[in-house]
Amino acid sequence: MALHLSLSHQSWTSTANSITSSDLTRGSIPTTRLPRRVEFSESFKSQNLVKRKEIMRGQIRASLETMGAQVEDIVGKVTQVNKDTFWPIVKAAGDKPVVLDMYTQWCGPCKAMAPKFEKLAQEYLDVVFLKLDCNQENKPLAKELGIKVVPTFKILKDGNIVEEVTGAKYDTLVAAIQTVRSS
């Protein structure tokens, strides 16, 4: 995610006045409609990138026992995953069914299914519900899982895909979840 703001006044460029908002509608200079632009130094960028990578490595290195505790914490809600966190959570789920909603930000049917998917997560407390944004960053995982259209719902059990529902077919998704739960 890039933060693009433009600054035209000397006091706005001070490091003491850090800008944390990425909302361009609120990020304008008070007397103008021009957006601000903040440029970060290369050392700042590389320091933050290293910190983020260290955090991710630490999360991925977590033992399955720790991940198991986290799986219990995510039951009853939808959890956003990425290419690095998906498989550890699936493995930690063990024999619990895992339902993965593969979506994109721009997809209308995906947006229509999102609240229904949240409701299912609250209803089926013995199932783990995950969401994967099929953006460029997660493209390798989406390709590995064989996505062709969005939304696609993959249902996994014991780390294997056992059911798939393509499109915004709520009733078909509910039937597939019930089938996997009863097997």
Side-chain angles (χ1 to χ4, degrees):
M1 177 184 300
L3 175 63
H4 296 285
L5 302 170
S6 296
L7 300 172
S8 64
H9 190 274
Q10 189 71 16
S11 67
W12 287 93
T13 60
S14 165
T15 56
N17 296 331
S18 61
I19 299 171
T20 57
S21 175
S22 61
D23 184 356
L24 291 177
T25 60
R26 293 184 295 151
S28 60
I29 299 171
T31 58
T32 69
R33 292 294 228 185
L34 299 174
R36 293 179 283 199
R37 183 177 174 102
V38 175
E39 295 292 332
F40 293 105
S41 69
E42 287 303 315
S43 65
F44 178 81
K45 289 178 188 175
S46 64
Q47 286 173 353
N48 280 340
L49 182 62
V50 169
K51 285 179 187 174
R52 272 190 256 149
K53 284 183 179 177
E54 288 172 358
I55 290 169
M56 286 305 298
R57 282 189 194 121
Q59 290 172 348
I60 293 168
R61 285 185 192 146
S63 68
L64 285 180
E65 291 173 354
T66 304
M67 287 299 293
Q70 290 177 358
V71 167
E72 294 304 319
D73 293 339
I74 64 175
V75 170
K77 59 185 172 183
V78 176
T79 303
Q80 186 72 37
V81 294
N82 61 36
K83 62 182 174 43
D84 297 321
T85 59
F86 174 70
W87 285 114
I89 291 175
V90 169
K91 288 178 183 172
D95 62 349
K96 281 188 183 196
V98 176
V99 182
L100 175 66
D101 175 8
M102 300 172 74
Y103 73 99
T104 60
Q105 295 289 329
W106 50 263
C107 169
C110 298
K111 291 177 184 178
M113 284 295 288
K116 295 175 183 178
F117 195 66
E118 292 277 344
K119 182 180 173 193
L120 287 173
Q122 294 168 1
E123 188 176 323
Y124 294 106
L125 299 178
D126 59 335
V127 178
V128 176
F129 287 83
L130 307 174
K131 286 183 78 81
L132 176 72
D133 187 352
C134 295
N135 57 20
Q136 196 64 30
E137 179 183 320
N138 295 319
K139 188 175 181 178
L141 177 58
K143 194 173 185 177
E144 176 186 344
L145 294 172
I147 185 140
K148 294 179 180 130
V149 299
V150 288
T152 293
F153 300 91
K154 302 277 185 172
I155 304 175
L156 298 94
K157 192 160 187 178
D158 297 318
N160 298 313
I161 298 171
V162 293
E163 290 282 340
E164 177 179 312
V165 176
T166 57
K169 301 172 188 163
Y170 179 76
D171 294 334
T172 306
L173 177 61
V174 171
I177 292 170
Q178 290 174 348
T179 300
V180 172
R181 285 178 65 224
S182 65
S183 64

